[in-house]
């Protein structure tokens, strides 16, 4: 089972996706997601120029050896571009191994630890009536856990607010539900931490009053707060019993979470922009978080994220894998196989892709009553239709950025 060809496929059905396709000499194919939102072509170049030539002729069975070879032989380790490329190779090799064995990948990872994966969706609204409509629309779709983001008075446009807040309105035009916008320049958004900190607890009070105490609610602070501001927010949200509060501080400084943790019992989730176990080392060992947010796509693939999650399990920390629409159906399938097999699964973010994306990537997963299952097709259970993919060439797109009222660039 020798790797015979490696192809990097860029397609932009509803948004840009980068996919690595490996083919073996006995005709088996494997897919890996290498999408890095807003920086897609950097991973394309890394794969095409530096990784593909090294893969040809390798034994496709040797997943761990290939991972270690790509990670260590580069000398320049870690970072989102490198680790997305390594992830794509790793995921594609698991797909091939599953097909060779005639088994879904989750069976190779130890078999199912549960019957399905609890998911959460993204409700949002610029004000409370719009938010309530969005929450109801998500519940009608089957979601049993819901992330809540709202507009803040005085701020024109902020992270996480869909311009079409209900599923009915979104069908077919899902692209604008995600923050990366097509165009030659990133969109500018505005930010004011004090207004945000004043407004958010009142929103959660209203949501609890309307929807009751049972519904699991999540919130994403998207790296914008200082440690003491994060502590304040965690404390002020305690009465509303959040499932988690996500990315409260910029992720680079792991120590910041110590201060936050000392002040609040609101569960913390972090890590969607982390890319190796080293980014988690201190916060897992010191039990500063409750959920690991990494995606398979951005954390070195199934092999490496499984190691992170096994480490986390020792500290009763669970998975909460990143699952926005910039994770391709291939990356989502990888998350599902991993999530189904590990013991310490927590919840899976799931936004649903648009119809065009689902035609490019043919998938065998199910989503029933708010629970995902990867299905039982051999491998990952996703195939890419080259004709459909070819209809949608790459379109430049950027994530937005923030400025404060005085013009200072702030974390987005
Ligand atoms: O901003 O995926 O929790 N989800 C998020 C996402 C991220 C985008 C960045 O590409 O924070 O919406
Ligand atoms: Co997030």
């Amino acid at each position: 089972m020798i790797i015979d060809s490696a192809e990097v496929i860029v397609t932009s059905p509803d948004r840009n996706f980068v996919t690595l396709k490996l083919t073996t000499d006995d005709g088996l194919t494997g897919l890996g997601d290498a999408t890095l939102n807003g920086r897609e072509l950097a991973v394309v170049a890394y794969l095409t120029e530096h990784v593909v030539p090294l893969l040809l002729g390798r034994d496709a069975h040797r997943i761990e050896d290939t991972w270690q070879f790509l990670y260590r032989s580069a000398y320049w380790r870690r970072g989102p571009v490198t680790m997305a490329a390594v992830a794509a190779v790793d995921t594609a090799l698991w797909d091939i191994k599953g097909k060779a064995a005639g088994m879904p990948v989750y069976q190779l990872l130890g078999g199912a630890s549960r019957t399905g994966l609890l998911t959460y969706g993204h409700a949002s609204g610029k004000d409370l009536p719009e938010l309530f409509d969005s929450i109801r629309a998500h519940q009608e779709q089957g979601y049993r856990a819901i992330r809540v983001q709202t507009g803040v008075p005085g701020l024109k446009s902020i992270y996480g607010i869909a311009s079409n807040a209900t599923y009915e309105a979104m069908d077919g035009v899902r692209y604008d539900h995600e923050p990366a916008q097509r165009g030659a320049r990133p969109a500018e958004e505005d930010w004011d931490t004090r207004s945000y900190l004043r407004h958010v607890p009142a929103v959660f009070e209203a949501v609890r009053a309307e929807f009751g105490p049972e519904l699991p609610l999540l919130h994403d602070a998207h790296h914008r707060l200082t440690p003491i501001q994060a502590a304040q927010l965690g404390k002020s949200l305690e009465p509303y019993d959040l499932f988690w509060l996500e990315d409260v501080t910029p992720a680079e400084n792991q120590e910041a979470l110590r201060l936050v943790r000392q002040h609040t019992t609101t569960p913390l989730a972090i890590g969607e922009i982390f890319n190796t176990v080293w980014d988690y080392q201190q916060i897992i060992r010191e039990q500063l978080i409750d959920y690991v947010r990494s995606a398979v796509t951005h954390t070195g693939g199934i092999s490496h994220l499984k190691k992170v999650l096994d480490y986390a399990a020792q500290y009763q920390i669970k998975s909460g894998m990143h699952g926005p629409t910039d994770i391709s159906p291939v990356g989502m399938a990888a998350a599902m196989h991993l999530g189904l097999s590990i013991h310490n699964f927590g919840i899976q973010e799931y936004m649903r892709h648009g119809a065009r994306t689902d035609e490019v990537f043919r998938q065998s997963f199910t989503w029933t009553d708010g629970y995902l299952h990867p299905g039982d097709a051999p491998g990952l259970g996703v195939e890419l239709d080259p004709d459909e993919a070819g209809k949608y060439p790459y379109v430049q797109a950027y994530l937005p950025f923030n400025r404060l009222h005085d013009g200072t660039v702030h974390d987005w």
Side-chain angles (χ1 to χ4, degrees):
M1 219 168 73
I2 299 298
I3 302 172
D4 225 19
S5 76
E7 198 187 341
V8 181
I9 300 157
V10 182
T11 180
S12 195
D14 299 291
R15 59 168 319 111
N16 294 317
F17 294 113
V18 179
T19 310
L20 177 70
K21 180 178 182 181
L22 301 181
T23 307
T24 65
D25 57 352
D26 36 15
L28 291 177
T29 59
L31 299 178
D33 179 24
T35 309
L36 189 61
N37 202 5
R39 293 292 186 272
E40 295 87 356
L41 300 186
V43 190
V44 173
Y46 191 95
L47 280 169
T48 310
E49 304 294 334
H50 304 294
V51 175
V52 164
L54 303 177
L55 294 177
L56 304 179
R58 290 186 70 85
D59 180 354
H61 271 307
R62 298 182 64 181
I63 300 177
E64 181 67 17
D65 182 70
T66 301
W67 195 98
Q68 299 295 344
F69 168 70
L70 291 175
Y71 182 76
R72 291 172 201 281
S73 73
Y75 185 61
W76 311 105
R77 297 177 186 183
R78 307 165 64 187
V81 176
T82 307
M83 297 311 290
V86 174
V89 176
D90 181 85
T91 306
L93 291 177
W94 278 106
D95 193 15
I96 287 173
K97 197 182 281 293
K99 288 176 182 173
M103 288 184 201
V105 168
Y106 76 81
Q107 292 292 11
L108 307 181
L109 298 173
S113 287
R114 57 195 50 77
T115 53
L117 307 170
L118 176 68
T119 57
Y120 75 90
H122 288 200
S124 67
K126 62 179 183 323
D127 50 29
L128 283 180
E130 214 179 272
L131 174 64
F132 288 2
D133 284 351
S134 177
I135 293 173
R136 279 190 205 98
H138 281 75
Q139 287 182 305
E140 281 158 23
Q141 288 285 320
Y143 283 108
R144 292 162 178 269
I146 294 183
R147 190 184 89 156
V148 168
Q149 306 291 134
T150 65
V152 172
L155 297 182
K156 285 190 298 292
S157 61
I158 66 168
Y159 167 77
I161 314 302
S163 53
N164 292 311
T166 64
Y167 267 98
E168 288 68 26
M170 273 192 299
D171 275 344
V173 284
R174 302 296 304 275
Y175 189 82
D176 78 354
H177 191 45
E178 259 299 291
Q181 286 164 35
R182 290 169 167 174
R185 293 272 183 276
E188 182 177 323
E189 298 185 343
D190 51 353
W191 184 251
D192 182 82
T193 300
R194 289 193 70 233
S195 311
Y196 166 79
L197 290 178
R198 270 199 311 276
H199 186 65
V200 171
V203 169
F204 276 88
E205 185 180 18
V207 170
R208 277 289 175 228
E210 179 75 14
F211 293 91
E214 290 297 330
L215 180 65
L217 298 174
L218 304 85
H219 180 69
D220 192 344
H222 224 263
H223 324 276
R224 286 157 194 215
L225 310 177
T226 65
I228 202 69
Q229 290 167 340
Q232 286 170 16
L233 180 62
K235 225 169 155 172
S236 63
L237 291 176
E238 278 170 22
Y240 314 114
D241 187 27
L242 263 60
F243 186 96
W244 79 36
L245 177 59
E246 175 180 344
D247 285 343
V248 282
T249 58
E252 295 96 324
N253 179 15
Q254 297 185 32
E255 262 176 47
L257 275 299
R258 270 192 197 148
L259 190 143
V260 183
R261 198 66 155 173
Q262 280 159 11
H263 289 283
T264 182
T265 56
T266 294
L268 301 176
I270 202 161
E272 70 187 35
I273 69 167
F274 291 1
N275 45 73
T276 69
V277 71
W278 303 103
D279 298 323
Y280 284 104
Q281 192 182 30
Q282 180 180 5
I283 55 178
I284 289 178
R285 190 180 60 231
E286 295 186 20
Q287 306 183 79
L288 303 182
I289 58 168
D290 301 279
Y291 295 92
V292 164
R293 286 287 287 140
S294 276
V296 168
T297 307
H298 300 132
T299 316
I302 292 172
S303 301
H304 192 70
L305 186 51
K306 177 157 168 53
K307 290 177 188 179
V308 175
L309 291 170
D310 287 346
Y311 173 40
Q314 297 176 44
Y315 301 95
Q316 294 171 284
I317 297 168
K318 294 185 175 182
S319 73
M321 284 178 245
H322 200 206
T325 51
D326 47 293
I327 304 295
S328 87
V330 178
M332 287 303 298
M336 291 179 217
H337 288 278
L338 183 55
L340 200 70
S341 65
I342 56 173
H343 178 250
N344 57 328
F345 171 82
I347 199 166
Q348 177 62 54
E349 183 181 26
Y350 178 51
M351 287 176 74
R352 303 173 69 213
H353 286 108
R356 281 187 294 262
T357 298
D358 289 343
E359 277 161 28
V360 170
F361 297 94
R362 279 180 273 113
Q363 303 154 61
S364 56
F365 76 93
T366 52
W367 185 58
T368 314
D369 296 329
Y371 287 84
L372 279 169
H373 190 287
D376 283 302
L380 293 172
V382 183
E383 295 301 332
L384 186 145
D385 182 327
D387 297 330
E388 285 296 321
K391 289 184 190 169
Y392 308 106
Y394 169 78
V395 184
Q396 188 162 38
Y398 282 103
L399 286 165
F401 76 108
N402 271 330
R403 283 194 195 276
L404 306 179
H405 292 317
D406 72 355
T408 308
V409 172
H410 189 72
D411 301 294
W412 182 78

